[in-house]
Each structure stands twice: as C-alpha cells, then as structure tokens.
Amino acid sequence: MAYREGEERQLIDGREVIVIRSAKRKRTISADLVGGTLRLRVPLRMGKGHLEEHARAFQQKLRKKAAGRERSDEALMQRALELSKKHFDDAVRPVSVRWSDRQNTRWGSTTSSQGTIRLSSRLKEMPGWVQDGVLVHELAHLIEPGHGPAFRRLVERYPHTKESDAFLEGVSFAQRQMGQV
C-alpha cells in the first residue's frame, strides 16, 4: 500500500515497516524510526527477501539500543556480575548496583564498606562499552579503594578503559563548556 510516492508499508514479522524505494540508491540502505515505526530507505529494485533481512537486522539493532537505555537496576547488577567474572575472576561481588538520578558530577561511586555501587543515570544514554568502563572502575574500588597503581592495574583489565575514559572526559568537557555541570 503506497502513502507517498515511492513509500509503501509492509508487515515484516508482524511489525509495520515503512519502505521508501529510490532509483538514486544503488546499494546503500538506511533506517530510522518514525513515531516508533521502522523506516527503511532502499534501492528501487531490492527484492522482498533482502528487504526483510535488512528490516530484521535494523529492528534487532534498534531493540538492543533501546534495551541499553532502559536498563534496570537488576540488569545493571547482572552486568556488573558478568564483568566481575570476566575481568576479576569473579572475585568481586557487589551487594547492590543501581542507577542514581542524584549523581550529576560523578559518573559512578562506590561505598566499599557496604559493597554498593551507584552509576549516574546520565550513563544510560551512552554506549554500553562506556557504561562497562564505569562499572569496571567501580568494581575495582571494591578491591582497591584508592586510585593508585594497584587500582589502575585492576581497571586496565577492561580493554576499553582508555577509550571509555576519553569518551567521558569529552562529555564532561562539553558539559562544562555549556555550563551544565
């Protein structure tokens, strides 16, 4: 069914998908959401099989992205335990890990004596590897409270530590420039 020139709506796996075909496109495919509906821009002659394949891939990618933004405290705790197992041989077992709407100047904090970790809710909008970097940092504080060489060795077990730190420093810099922090 066509709505606008070159636009059609199809059901793929029970979900409506807006498909815009273009003679100008030869190979590239792009996707975005319009009111919660996936919109694909595809080459004019793309077959139904390829269209469905790309729609499923983009829907899965968007679901993963949405799941990261809506990560619950329980899911955050589960992720912390996975990271503990992977990077600390399961030696770190926090009592609780939760999101905090009250942390506006720190990305995370740990109360070592109680075994609790809090991550700033501002991290929910950031890539998972950045969230993991902050979680590993806070898990390391359950072993080593300071920021000395022993702590740095623990944190560097996470292979994306430098990238995560640089990303957060860039965000912090931008927020300071805009007067948000």
Side-chain angles (χ1 to χ4, degrees):
M1 176 188 293
Y3 288 81
R4 286 190 292 188
E5 188 175 335
E7 179 180 300
E8 58 189 74
R9 294 182 183 241
Q10 295 187 15
L11 278 181
I12 298 175
D13 297 338
R15 293 177 186 230
E16 187 176 59
V17 176
I18 301 168
V19 179
I20 300 173
R21 296 179 181 275
S22 170
K24 292 179 182 177
R25 286 183 182 267
K26 300 299 179 199
R27 291 188 300 240
T28 62
I29 299 162
S30 65
D32 60 354
L33 287 178
V34 178
T37 301
L38 178 67
R39 176 173 59 188
L40 289 176
R41 297 177 189 277
V42 302
L44 183 64
R45 300 201 187 284
M46 177 174 277
K48 184 173 178 152
H50 282 100
L51 179 70
E52 289 178 356
E53 181 183 322
H54 287 288
R56 287 184 187 107
F58 279 115
Q59 285 173 334
Q60 181 177 5
K61 188 175 183 179
L62 292 168
R63 274 194 301 274
K64 283 182 180 181
K65 191 174 184 179
R69 282 195 301 270
E70 298 179 17
R71 186 183 276 183
S72 66
D73 288 348
E74 293 80 21
L76 192 60
M77 175 63 144
Q78 184 61 40
R79 185 61 183 152
L81 294 174
E82 290 168 8
L83 290 168
S84 171
K85 186 174 188 173
K86 185 173 183 177
H87 301 293
F88 301 109
D89 299 322
D90 215 14
V92 183
R93 305 292 278 175
V95 172
S96 73
V97 181
R98 63 182 178 82
W99 295 107
S100 173
D101 293 330
R102 296 172 43 191
Q103 288 192 299
N104 295 315
T105 57
R106 293 182 182 189
W107 297 112
S109 61
T110 300
T111 305
S112 301
S113 62
Q114 296 176 358
T116 60
I117 294 174
R118 290 156 310 284
L119 293 190
S120 173
S121 296
R122 297 178 298 148
L123 288 165
K124 286 183 178 182
E125 299 298 320
M126 296 185 192
W129 56 270
V130 174
Q131 295 172 11
D132 286 354
V134 176
L135 270 174
V136 167
H137 180 104
E138 299 307 330
L139 287 166
H141 276 308
L142 293 174
I143 299 169
E144 185 68 41
H147 285 98
F151 172 81
R152 292 305 310 162
R153 282 192 298 278
L154 290 170
V155 169
E156 287 169 1
R157 292 180 181 184
Y158 177 60
H160 304 292
T161 293
K162 289 179 180 163
E163 294 93 337
S164 176
D165 289 350
F167 183 98
L168 293 172
E169 184 54 40
V171 170
S172 295
F173 175 80
Q175 289 175 336
R176 285 190 305 270
Q177 295 302 307
M178 295 184 334
Q180 293 180 349
V181 179

